[in-house]
Amino acid sequence: MARHWRAWGAPFLVNLLLGVPAVVPIWLVWYVLANGPLAEYGGSMRNPTENDGMALWLVIVVPVVALFGLIWWLANEPLRRRTALAPRSFWLLCVLVPFLPTAVLIANSP
């Protein structure tokens, strides 16, 4: 069990910590999708005060998501070389774990 923990423990903890600031880009992407394409096709209700267009939001969202993606990649690439996990398992873990803090926040919201 200890050997198995060593294989995925560090990537799990690093990505869990990265998940805390990831709440912001995840929310921004959701907001753009909910007020843009999903609202167009009836998947969500558009915010009634969102009448400035989506260009302003994209100017904000793209740099924030790109910066987080760069930080995420720079944190995980060195870990990949040091872990005993298979590449597919490693990257699946690294993609899914940052969503945990957002999921906890959604689950605990009123």
Side-chain angles (χ1 to χ4, degrees):
M1 180 69 175
R3 182 174 165 232
H4 188 66
W5 169 252
R6 270 187 252 132
W8 63 269
F12 182 85
L13 290 175
V14 166
N15 284 286
L16 187 62
L17 290 174
L18 283 171
V20 173
V23 169
V24 173
I26 291 170
W27 181 83
L28 286 172
V29 168
W30 169 250
Y31 189 85
V32 167
L33 289 175
N35 284 296
L38 292 177
E40 278 301 309
Y41 297 111
S44 67
M45 294 278 296
R46 189 181 305 267
N47 186 348
T49 61
E50 184 60 56
N51 58 4
D52 295 333
M54 297 310 292
L56 176 64
W57 277 103
L58 293 177
V59 168
I60 295 168
V61 172
V62 171
V64 169
V65 171
L67 179 65
F68 177 76
L70 179 64
I71 292 168
W72 178 85
W73 178 260
L74 291 173
N76 283 306
E77 186 57 29
L79 281 175
R80 172 63 204 116
R81 289 185 230 119
R82 293 186 202 130
T83 187
L85 286 174
R88 180 179 286 174
S89 299
F90 175 81
W91 289 114
L92 182 63
L93 176 80
C94 292
V95 166
L96 294 179
V97 169
F99 287 97
L100 287 176
T102 302
V104 168
L105 285 174
I106 291 170
N108 291 324
S109 66

